[in-house]
Amino acid sequence: MRNIILNLATTLDALIEGANGEIDWCILEEDMQFDAFLASIDTIFYGRVSYDQWGHYQPDATAPDMEKQIYSAIQSKVKYVFSSQSRVDNKATFISTDIVAQVQKIRNQPGKDIWLYGGAKLITTFIENGLVDKYMISVHPTALGAGKPLFDISARLNLVLAETKVFKSGVVQLIYTPLSDPKKDR
Amino acid sequence: MRNIILNLATTLDALIEGANGEIDWCILEEDMQFDAFLASIDTIFYGRVSYDQWGHYQPDATAPDMEKQIYSAIQSKVKYVFSSQSRVDNKATFISTDIVAQVQKIRNQPGKDIWLYGGAKLITTFIENGLVDKYMISVHPTALGAGKPLFDISARLNLVLAETKVFKSGVVQLIYTPLSDPKKDR
């Protein structure tokens, strides 16, 4: 079965963006090997707002090459958008009903792993339904004090630390698996 | 000059306690060498609420030896309590005015380092006045979803990662210094 991987950047105070949507604290370094992560997945799960904001994003001509390569890789992936409203889109498949059953169907198809991109509401739905197989949280050396929190869960989530990676910039990537294997629990 | 060290445990979602004050997710392991940290400090700074809750705490007779040793060490330290109201207390010195000047006076006295214990309001005051020399944040492998946040700061805080320690339990200690040396800035 393909793994569903939540991979995102947070501040030290566990925010995914500032109170005004700021993500300028977010660092992209070559030694993070984000390209290797992107090579390990072939599918991306978006919430509707995230998809509209980032699902077609192209850096402008003056952007660094690494950023251009990353978005070129991202925009080549198969995309699913989870939304309360259905929509026809030639770059993505919209899913608005039976989320759990449809996700199980997708993860049972042959293919590489799947990146659960977000936003927060979609992440919560996936966590609360035991649909996240791996958490890759890149903790940045910045605290904002206010903004959008990483998790909006209603029940405690216990994880198992699998690996830690420390980057030159001071970003620490914490990699966890769920405490009980959600695939076995079902 | 003595260092003022913020050393505390947080959840993965950067909470210092749950919505009902829960700290049962907090892990104490021998390999964390908390006794060595306690040996490196001789003074503790408390907010008034934290002092009333923990400043006299003694584990009961059935508690593990490590916990008894830790609280015995804690209760042997010199204590200052920062409070809007003054109070006479035979175990601590209360400070209610001129916090920054009084803290500078204490940190210029000979002695070991100082543990900034908390709570959240006191931590904020210290951060916003550039009075924290080292941040030791022990990130636990649990998310709660709601509770008391680590930082209640009103301006962005940029830090420099100094060290990372990974413990058997899955706790990761992130150690930071301020980006600009607050002692030089003043």
Side-chain angles (χ1 to χ4, degrees):
Chain A
M1 199 188 299
R2 304 155 83 186
N3 286 309
I4 297 173
I5 302 172
L6 175 65
N7 184 340
L8 47 70
T10 73
T11 63
L12 179 58
D13 48 351
L15 304 173
I16 57 174
E17 52 184 65
N20 301 306
E22 304 93 308
I23 54 164
D24 59 305
W25 46 269
C26 193
I27 298 164
L28 200 57
E29 275 179 296
E30 282 201 31
D31 69 342
M32 290 178 177
Q33 299 188 293
F34 197 63
D35 52 347
F37 170 74
L38 289 174
S40 77
I41 61 132
D42 61 10
T43 299
I44 305 179
F45 286 169
Y46 292 92
R48 203 269 307 158
V49 175
S50 297
Y51 177 70
D52 283 343
Q53 193 169 4
W54 297 106
H56 302 271
Y57 181 77
Q58 296 290 355
D60 67 30
T62 61
D65 282 347
M66 187 176 58
E67 192 179 326
K68 286 181 197 164
Q69 285 157 16
I70 282 174
Y71 277 98
S72 167
I74 288 175
Q75 306 311 6
S76 74
K77 306 296 178 185
V78 174
K79 295 174 182 178
Y80 292 91
V81 181
F82 296 83
S83 171
S84 56
Q85 298 180 313
S86 194
R87 189 203 290 178
V88 175
D89 185 296
N90 63 359
K91 296 277 180 65
T93 302
F94 272 63
I95 294 179
S96 55
T97 54
D98 298 326
I99 290 184
V100 176
Q102 298 226 44
V103 168
Q104 292 293 24
K105 197 172 144 192
I106 295 164
R107 80 181 343 179
N108 281 319
Q109 291 165 354
K112 295 184 179 181
D113 286 340
I114 298 164
W115 181 15
L116 172 59
Y117 186 96
K121 198 175 151 199
L122 186 67
I123 293 171
T124 302
T125 300
F126 271 67
I127 292 174
E128 294 188 339
N129 285 288
L131 293 171
V132 180
D133 300 299
K134 195 194 251 190
Y135 295 77
M136 301 175 77
I137 314 286
S138 294
V139 180
H140 282 60
T142 298
L144 295 175
K148 191 184 281 186
L150 165 61
F151 291 129
D152 184 29
I153 49 177
S154 58
R156 186 180 294 214
L157 173 68
N158 290 309
L159 299 173
V160 176
L161 185 72
E163 197 180 348
T164 306
K165 293 181 187 174
V166 179
F167 301 110
K168 283 192 294 260
S169 58
V171 173
V172 180
Q173 190 179 45
L174 306 174
I175 303 176
Y176 301 93
T177 55
L179 182 59
S180 54
D181 186 339
K183 284 172 282 190
K184 284 186 192 152
D185 287 353
R186 275 194 300 271
Chain B
M1 197 188 298
R2 304 157 82 186
N3 286 310
I4 297 174
I5 303 172
L6 175 65
N7 184 340
L8 49 70
T10 74
T11 62
L12 179 58
D13 49 350
L15 305 172
I16 56 175
E17 52 184 65
N20 301 306
E22 305 91 310
I23 54 164
D24 59 305
W25 46 270
C26 194
I27 298 163
L28 201 56
E29 275 179 296
E30 283 200 29
D31 69 341
M32 290 178 177
Q33 299 188 292
F34 197 64
D35 52 346
F37 169 74
L38 290 174
S40 77
I41 62 130
D42 61 10
T43 299
I44 306 178
F45 286 168
Y46 293 92
R48 203 268 307 158
V49 175
S50 297
Y51 177 69
D52 285 342
Q53 193 170 4
W54 297 105
H56 301 272
Y57 181 77
Q58 296 291 355
D60 67 31
T62 61
D65 282 349
M66 186 175 58
E67 193 178 326
K68 287 181 197 162
Q69 286 158 16
I70 282 173
Y71 277 99
S72 167
I74 288 176
Q75 307 311 5
S76 74
K77 306 296 177 186
V78 174
K79 295 174 181 176
Y80 292 91
V81 181
F82 297 82
S83 171
S84 57
Q85 296 180 315
S86 195
R87 190 203 290 177
V88 176
D89 184 296
N90 63 359
K91 297 275 179 67
T93 302
F94 272 63
I95 294 178
S96 55
T97 54
D98 297 327
I99 290 185
V100 176
Q102 298 227 45
V103 168
Q104 292 293 23
K105 197 173 144 195
I106 295 164
R107 80 185 336 184
N108 281 320
Q109 289 165 356
K112 296 184 179 181
D113 286 340
I114 298 164
W115 181 15
L116 173 59
Y117 186 97
K121 198 175 152 198
L122 185 68
I123 292 170
T124 302
T125 301
F126 272 67
I127 292 174
E128 297 192 332
N129 285 287
L131 293 171
V132 179
D133 300 299
K134 195 195 252 191
Y135 295 76
M136 301 174 78
I137 314 285
S138 294
V139 180
H140 283 59
T142 299
L144 296 175
K148 191 183 280 186
L150 166 61
F151 291 129
D152 185 30
I153 50 177
S154 58
R156 186 180 296 213
L157 173 68
N158 290 309
L159 299 172
V160 177
L161 185 72
E163 197 180 348
T164 305
K165 294 181 186 173
V166 179
F167 301 110
K168 285 192 292 261
S169 58
V171 172
V172 180
Q173 190 178 45
L174 305 174
I175 302 176
Y176 300 92
T177 54
L179 182 59
S180 55
D181 185 341
K183 284 172 281 191
K184 285 185 191 154
D185 287 353
R186 275 195 300 270

